[in-house]
Amino acid sequence: MSYTLRFTSNAYQVDKEIEGVLRVLQGKTSSGPLLVRNIEVKLQNARNICQRTYERAMDWADVDFDQQISAVKWKWKGSEYETARENGQFVKEPRDIIDMGELLESKQRKQSGRNVVDFEWTADHAELVHDGSDALKNGGYYPARPWTDPTLGDIDEVIGGILRNGGK
């Protein structure tokens, strides 16, 4: 079963409100020409900052999800437990969650309008890998490897950095 994560943003609405405030402020600057130009440049940089920040954050998340799947850090069923992957590789923990690469390659990023981005992993085993299971048909268990959690845990800090850099 596939696994989907949705990000929604009100960045466009916030940018519209900021634009209105900037227009008012721009009309009230009556200082010397150099100061006015400096203020105009700063106002111009503030335009659409929320939408730019959202787009940059989604670009970062897109790359980070792949890095999380590829990272050799995931627990399996104990450090002494070695398994043979379908690709012939023998691995213990920590390990990546790539195996044949189907999960990594199945990621799709879908933009639904300005304010919604869905990341979906369409591999049949995506949900099982992410959430794990205690009720396999053979009575065993499958440990969860929630590769989206580290990205979600870091995204606020990333957004803060993007905003401090003017949405770039």
Side-chain angles (χ1 to χ4, degrees), residues 14-163:
V14 172
D15 280 337
K16 279 178 52 177
E17 293 173 20
I18 290 172
E19 180 68 28
V21 170
L22 294 176
R23 282 191 187 132
V24 170
L25 290 174
Q26 205 166 20
K28 292 188 176 190
T29 56
S30 58
S31 303
L34 187 58
L35 181 58
V36 169
R37 180 66 188 135
N38 189 23
I39 290 171
E40 285 176 354
V41 168
K42 288 184 179 190
L43 294 177
Q44 187 64 35
N45 287 339
R47 286 187 168 85
N48 301 317
I49 191 169
C50 294
Q51 190 64 36
R52 286 193 320 267
T53 299
Y54 178 64
E55 290 167 2
R56 297 308 170 278
M58 294 300 96
D59 292 344
W60 172 83
D62 196 349
V63 170
D64 199 63
F65 288 137
D66 292 351
Q67 291 173 343
Q68 295 303 326
I69 289 172
S70 302
V72 178
K73 67 178 189 176
W74 299 100
K75 292 186 184 282
W76 181 239
K77 294 180 178 180
S79 60
E80 73 288 343
Y81 193 82
E82 185 175 62
T83 55
R85 290 182 159 174
E86 287 186 35
N87 66 8
Q89 179 184 29
F90 286 89
V91 292
K92 290 185 175 184
E93 65 177 48
R95 58 181 15 171
D96 63 40
I97 50 179
I98 293 179
D99 198 353
M100 298 297 287
E102 184 182 358
L103 175 64
L104 184 64
E105 293 168 10
S106 77
K107 182 186 70 187
Q108 297 176 5
R109 177 178 171 176
K110 300 174 187 172
Q111 183 93 28
S112 304
R114 292 181 176 143
N115 302 324
V116 178
V117 173
D118 290 325
F119 289 95
E120 182 177 12
W121 291 265
T122 59
D124 291 340
H125 58 291
E127 184 179 40
L128 177 63
V129 173
H130 191 275
D131 298 338
S133 177
D134 290 332
L136 296 178
K137 291 179 185 176
N138 66 5
Y141 74 99
Y142 197 93
R145 274 83 47 87
W147 70 86
T148 59
D149 288 1
T151 304
L152 294 175
D154 292 343
I155 200 156
D156 286 343
E157 185 177 327
V158 168
I159 289 170
I162 295 168
L163 283 170

